[in-house]
Amino acid sequence: PKLERKANELLASFTSWTKLKLEWLRNTEYDLHKNRQRLYKGAIKLKMLERDDLVISKPPEFLNEARLTAAGLCLYLAGLILSAPQKRSDGIIYPRLLILDDILLSLDMSNRQPLLELLKSDDFKNWQVLLLTHDRVWYEIAKRHLGAPKWCHYEFYTVRVGDYEHPITNKDEDHLDKAIEFLIQGHLKPAAVHVRTKLEEVLKKACQDYKIKIAYYINPREVSLSMLWDALLSHPVGKLPPQKTFTKDGVIYEFRNHTIPDRLITNEFQAKIECNLSWILNPLSHSESINTYRAEVENAIFDVAELEYRLQQSLIHQEFLLTYERTQIMSLIKTHDPDADKPAGA
């Protein structure tokens, strides 16, 4: 029963209308202390349920491969979570290792992203997780969702050495780190390319985080840096207004008006980024030599890094605004309702 409940809890992240049910048949027994064949004297039957808990008679014909894979994966993960040993008497946690080796090939993208959220959840907070794939697009998506500092990203490949293939492990560093490395070596053109790639990542993530609408194109390559940048510039962000007070019936109330729309990017910083966009970060400039413009490449690195930092801080600020507004509302409710703090039924 515990396994069934936990598996359905995980499965709800993938699809809310499908459940699984485990049935113990013919007096099945389970002996935890046996090393092998812990289940004996019977069998276990797995059923898939649809809405209203109706049994699906032929799951392979009704559920697609992605949903069947998600169900099997949730059953497996639930077993791992429940069987993981607890802390030792001295408080040390036993090693917990999960290796997912390209098992996601049969999952479509709508079922892959819920798995990433599961891997970030508290269920796997104390686990060492290795997620392996040879799908480059999926790798880039997973890398954005499973970011630093908790996750590291590596690329594995082989090179031919004589009659053998030699494995190579290469840490997938941040593009700005790669740009700085090329800059130190004096290779300014690849440094500029990595800065431009980093700017593209920052702008795409910002549009995703702030839910900014941009024009749709079937070919994503038609979405230019300038389009992302213009969309970001026009997006307002909440700015905390000054606090005010008023007195009513001898009681002093504190409040703030609605948030005042403000731009994410100041005019001064906008000019710095657009200067880089027009030259160093312009892909048409890469066919020309830029070896005489080391200072411009350096400035572009620092400006893109500052842009990423500003956007991160702005997100934190927005979350603070939401929390503050809820606190203010609850404060006013409690002020006018003396029973607001009493438990239900009191």
Side-chain angles (χ1 to χ4, degrees):
K2 290 182 180 180
L3 179 63
E4 180 183 303
R5 285 195 298 269
K6 190 62 182 180
N8 281 320
E9 177 187 325
L10 301 180
L11 188 58
S13 301
F14 293 87
T15 173
S16 58
W17 59 269
T18 305
K19 296 181 181 178
L20 56 84
K21 184 175 180 60
L22 296 173
E23 290 188 355
W24 294 63
L25 306 177
R26 299 189 297 277
N27 299 320
T28 305
E29 295 186 20
Y30 178 76
D31 188 350
L32 177 63
H33 301 291
K34 286 190 175 184
N35 292 328
R36 296 182 180 180
Q37 299 299 331
R38 293 181 177 181
L39 289 166
Y40 58 97
K41 293 184 180 179
I44 299 178
K45 187 174 184 179
L46 171 63
K47 292 183 178 180
M48 296 301 300
L49 309 177
E50 57 169 324
R51 295 177 180 87
D52 300 325
D53 292 338
L54 297 176
V55 177
I56 301 174
S57 58
K58 297 181 180 180
E61 296 180 8
F62 184 77
L63 300 173
N64 60 23
E65 185 180 2
R67 288 195 172 121
L68 290 173
T69 301
L73 183 60
C74 289
L75 190 61
Y76 173 72
L77 294 178
L80 281 182
I81 293 170
L82 295 178
S83 62
Q86 301 301 313
K87 292 182 179 179
R88 303 191 323 185
S89 58
D90 56 5
I92 295 178
I93 298 176
Y94 286 94
R96 300 176 180 185
L97 179 64
L98 172 62
I99 302 177
L100 302 175
D101 186 6
D102 244 346
I103 64 168
L104 306 177
L105 290 179
S106 57
L107 290 179
D108 52 25
M109 198 57 66
S110 62
N111 284 296
R112 290 184 182 187
Q113 294 191 9
L115 176 64
L116 299 181
E117 296 304 318
L118 286 181
L119 296 181
K120 294 194 299 183
S121 68
D122 290 340
D123 285 325
F124 294 98
K125 181 174 61 174
N126 297 316
W127 288 70
Q128 172 66 64
V129 182
L130 301 180
L131 179 63
L132 308 176
T133 182
H134 67 267
D135 185 336
R136 186 72 194 189
V137 175
W138 166 236
Y139 169 76
E140 294 296 338
I141 293 174
K143 189 170 70 171
R144 285 202 300 269
H145 280 72
L146 306 175
K150 292 186 177 181
W151 289 79
C152 300
H153 313 106
Y154 288 85
E155 293 180 276
F156 300 96
Y157 53 94
T158 60
V159 295
R160 194 75 178 177
V161 179
D163 297 331
Y164 302 95
E165 289 187 336
H166 181 67
I168 300 293
T169 302
N170 184 30
K171 186 173 183 180
D172 189 2
E173 297 177 319
D174 186 275
H175 283 287
L176 286 188
D177 293 333
K178 293 181 180 179
I180 293 173
E181 184 177 343
F182 278 117
L183 190 67
I184 293 174
Q185 297 172 0
H187 305 307
L188 302 188
K189 186 178 291 187
V193 172
H194 279 290
V195 178
R196 185 181 188 279
T197 305
K198 177 64 177 183
L199 177 61
E200 181 180 334
E201 288 184 349
V202 170
L203 294 181
K204 285 182 176 179
K205 187 176 187 304
C207 289
Q208 175 180 300
D209 291 339
Y210 289 99
K211 297 179 174 58
I212 298 174
K213 295 180 180 180
I214 60 174
Y216 172 76
Y217 291 90
I218 296 178
N219 183 3
R221 293 181 180 273
E222 295 183 31
V223 180
S224 65
L225 272 180
S226 298
M227 292 172 58
L228 297 173
W229 176 246
D230 291 341
L232 183 63
L233 286 177
S234 61
H235 184 72
V237 62
K239 181 179 181 182
L240 198 64
Q243 181 170 294
K244 297 182 180 180
T245 62
F246 72 96
T247 303
K248 182 179 180 182
D249 300 330
V251 180
I252 299 177
Y253 297 93
E254 296 181 351
F255 73 103
R256 293 182 188 270
N257 290 328
H258 294 294
T259 55
I260 301 173
D262 194 11
R263 297 176 61 198
L264 280 171
I265 309 299
T266 63
N267 291 332
E268 180 182 358
F269 192 66
Q270 175 185 349
K272 294 173 66 176
I273 293 294
E274 289 181 351
C275 177
N276 291 318
L277 280 170
S278 65
W279 177 236
I280 300 301
L281 302 180
N282 182 352
L284 297 180
S285 70
H286 294 166
S287 61
E288 304 296 334
S289 173
I290 58 172
N291 292 333
T292 57
Y293 299 97
R294 180 187 178 95
E296 284 79 358
V297 177
E298 291 179 354
N299 291 335
I301 292 175
F302 289 117
D303 290 342
V304 172
E306 183 178 352
L307 174 63
E308 183 179 35
Y309 174 77
R310 288 189 178 207
L311 292 173
Q312 290 173 348
Q313 293 301 307
S314 181
L315 276 177
I316 295 173
H317 180 69
Q318 281 199 342
E319 292 176 0
F320 166 75
L321 282 176
L322 291 174
T323 304
Y324 185 87
E325 288 175 354
R326 294 191 189 103
T327 304
Q328 291 291 96
I329 292 173
M330 291 304 300
S331 176
L332 289 174
I333 291 174
K334 291 177 181 179
T335 301
H336 292 281
D337 182 6
D339 297 328
D341 284 330
K342 292 183 179 180

